[in-house]
Amino acid sequence: MTIGAHIRRLGLNITGAALLVATPAAQAEAQSAATPPMGWNPYNVFDLNYGEAEVMAQADLLVSLGLARLGYVHVNVDDGWWLRREDDTIRVRTTIYPSAALPDGSTSLRPFVDRLHAMGLKAGIYTDIGLNTCSQRWRPRTPNLPEGTVRQREVGTYGHHAQDAALLFARWGFDFIKVDACGAADYGADVKEVRDGTFRAFTPLIVRERPQRSDAAELARQYASFADAARRGASGRSPLISICAWGQADVNDWARRYGQMSRTSFDIAPTWDAMLFNFDSAASRALFAGPGHWNDPDMLEVGNGAFDGAHLTAARAHMSLWAVLAAPLILGNDLRRMTPEIAAIISNREVIAIDQDPAGHQGVVVSRDGDGQVVAKALATTGHKAVALINRGTNPLTLSVELADLGLSATAPTTARDVWSGETRAVRNGRISVSLKPQETALLRVEGRPAEDNVDRPADLPARFDVADAGYKAPDRTPARQWVLAQIGFRPDGQPLMLDGVQDHAGLGVTAGSRIRIDLAGRYDRVSVDPRMPGKANGTYLIRVDGRMLAEGVASPQAHPIVLHVRDARQLELIAPPPSGGNTQFAWHNLRLTRRVTTRS
Ligand code: GLA
């Protein structure tokens, strides 16, 4: 029976966005960005008050300070580069990009891109998925806004995908593009500047205050079309696409198919609370990131405001949190003005290595209790984890983590190296405890042994998960507190996932009706799982392996542990029963994947 037939039989309502299938072109895009992109972007420090001179000065420093060698190679122009749209091209503002003025009177960013390439760097540019931009709507008095008639000021890419891709990638040679979304969010017919004729109306695909009213399927189609055009326009090269839809319009469902990084929240600011807000917005989405598709909590503020040279503890914390998430490391500070201590923070090789670990697993929240939070990231070597112990508050705090909660043996020899101080932290009785100053994060590289030999648990392989919506819509919430379709160790509403009175760190709290695919890659012999619906239920769950139904059962509050034999299988699918009787959550408890062991005779 096909998945579609099953879904129909169960009455599941898998929606348009969930069923969007990546085109071959978009899939090819996802092959790039094997580790989170690293680079520099002007917006946090310059807003729109910058041009070629400022960008080149920073690019020079990326090279001369050795940052490029550490991986910071993407130099990304943000909003404010364009002057106006003219038929098949976009005119560049040559007052701030003088090298763009060509002798024949036309403009081109090719000389700018060529200079970056000659320095061994990559060049990034910016557009909007709608007709108009963020700055046009939100900062009407900022310099460097597009000029001309209503149509000429429509510099966004809507309706111009092929044309813009040919210009930006083939003619000018850009390697990266941030595709913002204010044009698809903030130009509804009721907006004053639309009513007075300043801009044309664009029916919002993102409804900021009422996320449930967003047209996720249409927004996904626009990004899909842009991704296809980008690859064609780049004639075989694969420009990276940074989707900037702020975690809205169900981006978890589709962004990974059309971009290599996807923003999870609104803009960061150089304050402690703003940094934590953006961190939280990405931290709940570990099952939606992996090689080729990274959650993006926004550019770094290290070196700025509450993270400047006078706030080194907070600056190290911010850097630690982005690294443990496997977030893109896009610097947002003025490299001309940073102190040596800030330079040392962004250059810490061990921290960068955690972010760039080749397995590409995002860190998973292990616990959160008051101001204390623990996040652990599985590293490529079995039994190795990067562990962030975070003091979110303004008082000193002692924080502990149990090796057992990390899926590690409490008795095997285990080391914990603090990557900021270089010190070894004590591991006693299967537990690591640290004393933290206000706003301090200890980032540890923990090297131990898995609790069970040859067994992987979800937190060991989040990058191998693919989660799809089945149409259930949670109530409207602010983005960071949005219902998350599936999480490890937590329910979709953010509460700890409990099993027999303790948090189930090996369980998945999921939305009723969701479908989870796990890439088994032929590595496992057995899978065991314990499906449970906490309350009243009348639906059926399904478990499929390589398309074959291996288990089906009526969901109930009782445990029904299941063991599946999966030798050589490529894919496991866990399909939760549909919501029923007001019950919208389901759990796949205690999920264990037993690796295939090849014995030599
Ligand atoms: C939006 C984006 C920011 C930045 C500005 C530029 O707010 O989220 O990252 O690109 O637009 O105007």
Side-chain angles (χ1 to χ4, degrees):
M1 197 182 280
T2 64
I3 180 95
H6 270 298
I7 288 160
R8 279 191 295 281
R9 192 165 63 83
L10 291 174
L12 299 186
N13 170 27
I14 294 201
T15 51
L19 288 181
L20 275 175
V21 176
T23 61
Q27 275 165 349
E29 291 288 337
Q31 305 305 315
S32 44
T35 60
M38 295 172 66
W40 182 87
N41 174 299
Y43 183 67
N44 284 355
V45 65
F46 291 115
D47 201 333
L48 266 64
N49 304 307
Y50 67 94
E52 187 175 4
E54 289 76 16
V55 176
M56 277 303 169
Q58 306 289 323
D60 280 337
L61 285 168
L62 286 178
V63 175
S64 61
L65 297 175
L67 292 164
R69 270 203 310 281
L70 292 170
Y72 295 101
V73 294
H74 291 282
V75 177
N76 297 336
V77 167
D78 207 276
D79 202 348
W81 60 273
W82 30 35
L83 185 60
R84 62 178 172 268
R85 185 175 282 283
E86 279 177 352
D87 303 327
D88 70 337
T89 188
I90 292 174
R91 205 167 166 81
V92 181
R93 187 182 291 277
T94 52
T95 46
I96 51 175
Y97 290 90
S99 77
L102 300 186
D104 66 0
S106 67
T107 64
S108 168
L109 283 173
R110 183 88 219 189
F112 170 76
V113 170
D114 285 348
R115 268 177 73 195
L116 290 171
H117 285 169
M119 295 162 76
L121 299 170
K122 295 195 182 286
I125 191 76
Y126 172 97
T127 189
D128 194 289
I129 202 71
L131 293 169
N132 293 102
T133 68
C134 290
S135 51
Q136 285 176 306
R137 174 75 175 84
W138 296 115
R139 287 187 303 287
R141 269 174 281 286
T142 195
N144 303 330
L145 292 179
E147 293 173 6
T149 64
V150 170
R151 295 291 173 119
Q152 286 174 325
R153 282 183 280 108
E154 290 175 350
V155 289
T157 197
Y158 184 80
H160 298 279
H161 293 171
Q163 196 182 54
D164 287 357
L167 177 72
L168 301 172
F169 306 121
R171 295 210 343 243
W172 292 355
F174 280 101
D175 312 287
F176 178 112
I177 187 160
K178 173 170 166 183
V179 187
D180 218 329
C182 292
D186 303 322
Y187 292 87
D190 54 341
V191 168
K192 181 180 152 295
E193 294 82 350
V194 172
R195 279 192 280 115
D196 72 15
T198 308
F199 303 111
R200 263 203 296 169
F202 188 105
T203 304
L205 305 178
I206 296 176
V207 182
R208 289 184 188 265
E209 300 313 318
R210 308 298 303 272
Q212 301 304 318
R213 301 208 179 147
S214 295
D215 188 347
E218 179 54 25
L219 190 69
R221 261 191 290 278
Q222 290 299 321
Y223 276 100
S225 159
F226 186 84
D228 267 348
R231 190 169 162 280
R232 285 179 221 281
S235 14
R237 286 186 312 121
S238 287
L240 301 192
I241 296 179
S242 162
I243 294 178
C244 188
W246 321 289
Q248 301 227 320
D250 301 338
V251 285
N252 281 345
D253 284 356
W254 52 266
R256 63 188 176 281
R257 311 201 196 288
Y258 313 124
Q260 285 66 49
M261 50 194 269
S262 171
R263 281 274 294 277
T264 52
S265 59
F266 296 123
D267 298 0
I268 197 168
T271 67
W272 181 251
D273 287 350
M275 186 279 289
L276 284 182
F277 184 91
N278 280 31
F279 167 72
D280 289 340
S281 72
S284 57
R285 301 178 196 240
L287 292 174
F288 302 89
H293 55 282
W294 308 102
N295 285 322
D296 175 15
D298 208 355
M299 283 90 70
L300 291 160
E301 292 281 15
V302 176
N304 300 336
F307 310 98
D308 68 7
H311 302 90
L312 295 175
T313 301
R316 282 188 204 101
H318 179 6
M319 187 79 186
S320 300
L321 298 190
W322 264 232
V324 83
L325 285 183
L329 299 179
I330 308 293
L331 303 169
N333 62 321
D334 187 345
L335 304 176
R336 295 170 305 187
R337 295 186 212 297
M338 68 180 164
T339 64
E341 292 81 8
I342 293 293
I345 290 172
I346 60 176
S347 306
N348 185 302
R349 286 172 190 272
E350 287 183 73
V351 177
I352 293 172
I354 288 170
D355 181 80
Q356 297 285 307
D357 182 81
H361 300 302
Q362 175 172 323
V364 170
V365 178
V366 178
S367 62
R368 169 86 197 269
D369 184 10
D371 286 336
Q373 186 172 19
V374 178
V375 180
K377 178 184 197 291
L379 300 174
T381 306
T382 304
H384 291 196
K385 302 254 175 178
V387 183
L389 295 109
I390 308 159
N391 181 0
R392 301 168 62 107
T394 47
N395 295 311
L397 184 74
T398 299
L399 195 55
S400 308
V401 62
E402 302 284 339
L403 295 180
D405 291 346
L406 302 175
L408 297 178
S409 161
T411 51
T414 302
T415 58
R417 177 182 162 83
D418 184 321
V419 298
W420 290 116
S421 70
E423 288 165 19
T424 300
R425 301 282 189 153
V427 184
R428 282 201 196 93
N429 302 326
R431 165 187 292 199
I432 302 168
S433 289
V434 296
S435 300
L436 297 168
K437 292 184 279 195
Q439 302 186 338
E440 185 178 13
T441 289
L443 185 60
L444 310 180
R445 192 175 180 103
V446 176
E447 302 190 356
R449 281 255 309 276
E452 293 168 83
D453 278 338
N454 301 314
V455 172
D456 285 340
R457 311 184 324 158
D460 298 320
L461 60 157
R464 303 172 75 88
F465 281 66
D466 180 285
V467 184
D469 185 4
Y472 170 70
K473 294 287 173 204
D476 281 349
R477 282 155 213 262
T478 57
R481 284 171 193 74
Q482 237 170 20
W483 183 277
V484 179
L485 281 174
Q487 292 194 70
I488 297 170
F490 289 84
R491 306 190 318 199
D493 63 6
Q495 295 301 311
L497 180 70
M498 303 301 284
L499 179 66
D500 302 329
V502 293
Q503 190 178 357
D504 180 12
H505 292 287
L508 301 170
V510 304
T511 303
S514 60
R515 184 220 66 206
I516 294 185
R517 287 190 178 142
I518 304 168
D519 173 16
L520 300 175
R523 291 186 194 172
Y524 299 95
D525 265 343
R526 252 177 308 128
V527 171
S528 62
V529 67
D530 180 352
R532 245 187 239 200
M533 197 120 184
K536 189 171 162 320
N538 59 13
T540 312
Y541 66 78
L542 303 177
I543 301 179
R544 292 156 48 96
V545 173
D546 287 347
R548 267 190 315 130
M549 176 93 82
L550 280 204
E552 183 176 14
V554 177
S556 85
Q558 277 78 48
H560 291 292
I562 295 173
V563 177
L564 306 161
H565 294 277
V566 298
R567 175 162 282 210
D568 294 332
R570 314 299 304 175
Q571 188 185 71
L572 172 71
E573 267 177 304
L574 304 173
I575 302 168
S580 64
N583 195 0
T584 54
Q585 307 197 34
F586 188 73
W588 301 101
H589 280 298
N590 211 2
L591 176 62
R592 304 174 122 71
L593 297 96
T594 305
R595 273 197 299 278
R596 181 175 183 155
V597 184
T598 36
T599 45
R600 283 196 208 141
S601 52

